[in-house]
Amino acid sequence: IKEPRVFPYACLVEPGGKRCFVSLWARAAVAVIDLETNTVSATWPTAEHPTEMLLSPKGDALYVACANSTKVSVLDPATGKPLQTINCALYP
């Protein structure tokens, strides 16, 4: 089965340069690229249409802005487990 187009949106290389996080706009996920082997080592789910990403200063949270959902998915960058979903809508 051929995988549907996923539309990579943004890339974020973690400090140390061993992994790169890639937001997959059409797949509601972040791909984790192992830069030593140039392979996808994991795919972590997010809210719909992930775009920009930011690592916390301590490196213990990956913030992923999700365009169509007005949410920010917060992931543990070590495991990919969801830590929090922040609702950023102006109105409830």
Side-chain angles (χ1 to χ4, degrees):
I1 296 175
K2 191 174 182 180
E3 186 167 337
R5 300 179 100 185
V6 293
F7 299 106
Y9 186 91
C11 298
L12 176 66
V13 177
E14 70 178 352
K18 294 189 179 203
R19 296 184 304 169
C20 178
F21 303 109
V22 180
S23 56
L24 304 176
W25 189 84
R27 188 165 174 196
V30 169
V32 182
I33 310 296
D34 181 324
L35 296 177
E36 293 177 352
T37 62
N38 289 326
T39 59
V40 176
S41 61
T43 305
W44 300 335
T46 65
E48 290 183 9
H49 303 299
T51 55
E52 297 298 330
M53 298 172 290
L54 176 72
L55 274 170
S56 67
K58 292 182 182 179
D60 58 354
L62 175 65
Y63 295 88
V64 184
C66 299
N68 283 12
S69 67
T70 64
K71 295 179 182 172
V72 174
S73 295
V74 185
L75 308 173
D76 180 336
T79 64
K81 291 184 180 180
L83 298 175
Q84 182 179 13
T85 299
I86 302 169
N87 188 347
C88 299
L90 293 176
Y91 304 102

